[in-house]
Amino acid sequence: MKIALFGANGGTGRVLAAQALAAGHEITAVTRHPETFALEHERLRVVTGDAMDAASVSAAIAGQDAVLSTLGVPFGKEPISVYSVGTGNIVAGMTEHGVRRLACVSSSAVDPHDDPQEGVIFNRVLQPYVVNGIGRTTYDDMRRMEAVVAASELDWTVVRPSGLFAAGALSGYRVSATEHLSGRYTSRADLADFLLRLAGGPEFVRETPEVRTTEGTPNFFAFMWRETIRKKP
C-alpha cells in the first residue's frame, strides 16, 4: 500500500515507519524537520509538512491508499489544537483526494475509568493526576479530534492506547472496541503493528478500539519520569 504517515518523527511514528517498510509498503513520512528523520529506504519518501498547514497536508495525501496519524505533543499547561486542527486538515485532505482509510491515535485517557486490577492509589490518585492535571489540555484536544473524525464520512478508526513506552518486540497485545481493557501501558511496537493492520483491512471501521500490551510493561514511576515529566518543554 501507499501510506501517508503524519507524526512520522515521533516515537510511535518512527517505529511505525520501520514496520511498514519491512512489510513492503510505500511510506510518505510527513514531518516538520525532515533533516532529523533517520530512516532511509527506497520505498520511503520524507516530505516537509506541518499538520497545521492544510496545503502541505493535502499535498502529502494525494495519491495515497491510506493515512495513519500518530500526531503528538508533550504535556503542557496551555491549550493546544494540534490534534483537532491537524487531524481536521487530514480529514479535509483525504476528502479532497478521495482517500477513504484513516487510523489515528488518541488515548484511553479521553474516557478514563476505574480499573479494579490497579487498586485505589492508581484509580483515585495517579490516574486523576495525569488525566485532570498534567495531561488535561492534551486530552481535551484529543476529545475534539475524536469528534472531528467521527463527524467525517471516512472509513476511520480512532485508536486508544494507554501509556506509551518503547519495547524491542511485539507482545500478544489485546484489542477491544466493546469493553475497557485493564492495563496501564501500550508499547509503541504493539501500537504500530495494530495501526498497520487497520490500514490494510476493514477492522474496527468507525470504532474506537483500545489496545494494551500484555507483557514487559514498565514501572509506573519510571514511566512517568521518562515519558511525561522529562519530555515537558
Side-chain angles (χ1 to χ4, degrees):
M1 298 179 67
K2 294 181 178 179
I3 300 172
L5 173 56
F6 291 87
N9 222 359
T12 301
R14 291 189 296 270
V15 174
L16 178 53
Q19 288 189 6
L21 292 168
H25 301 295
E26 296 181 29
I27 301 300
T28 296
V30 186
T31 173
R32 290 179 299 163
H33 302 290
E35 72 281 358
T36 66
F37 195 76
L39 287 177
E40 294 183 2
H41 197 282
E42 61 184 6
R43 283 183 276 102
L44 173 66
R45 181 169 68 106
V46 182
V47 300
T48 302
D50 186 337
M52 303 296 281
D53 175 52
S56 67
V57 170
S58 176
I61 290 172
Q64 304 295 328
D65 299 315
V67 175
L68 301 177
S69 173
T70 61
L71 291 174
V73 294
F75 288 157
K77 295 181 180 180
E78 298 301 319
I80 61 171
S81 60
V82 170
Y83 296 99
S84 56
V85 174
T87 305
N89 288 334
I90 291 171
V91 168
M94 294 178 68
T95 302
E96 175 187 359
H97 294 291
V99 181
R100 298 287 308 169
R101 191 63 171 120
L102 169 66
C104 62
V105 176
S106 182
S107 171
S108 62
V110 303
D111 184 21
H113 62 282
D114 285 355
D115 185 341
Q117 295 187 21
E118 295 294 345
V120 173
I121 292 177
F122 178 81
N123 290 323
R124 295 290 180 263
V125 179
L126 299 178
Q127 181 171 248
Y129 169 69
V130 174
V131 173
N132 302 317
I134 61 173
R136 181 179 58 81
T137 58
T138 293
Y139 301 130
D140 284 348
D141 196 41
M142 282 183 170
R143 293 184 187 98
R144 292 189 290 269
M145 174 191 73
E146 290 196 6
V148 168
V149 173
S152 77
E153 298 299 321
L154 302 176
D155 297 330
W156 57 265
T157 304
V158 173
V159 180
R160 291 176 174 175
S162 195
L164 294 172
F165 71 100
L170 298 179
S171 77
Y173 61 88
R174 299 180 62 211
V175 176
S176 177
T178 59
E179 63 176 328
H180 288 303
L181 298 177
S182 292
R184 303 177 187 178
Y185 306 106
T186 307
S187 79
R188 292 186 174 89
D190 289 346
L191 176 58
D193 184 76
F194 183 50
L195 289 166
L196 277 182
R197 281 172 50 187
L198 296 173
E203 287 186 278
F204 298 104
V205 171
R206 303 187 73 81
E207 294 186 292
T208 54
E210 297 186 356
V211 55
R212 295 291 185 279
T213 292
T214 56
E215 57 197 55
T217 55
N219 170 273
F220 178 80
F221 294 101
F223 165 81
M224 286 294 294
W225 172 255
R226 182 175 62 251
E227 299 292 341
T228 60
I229 297 171
R230 193 177 65 178
K231 286 187 176 182
K232 293 179 71 175

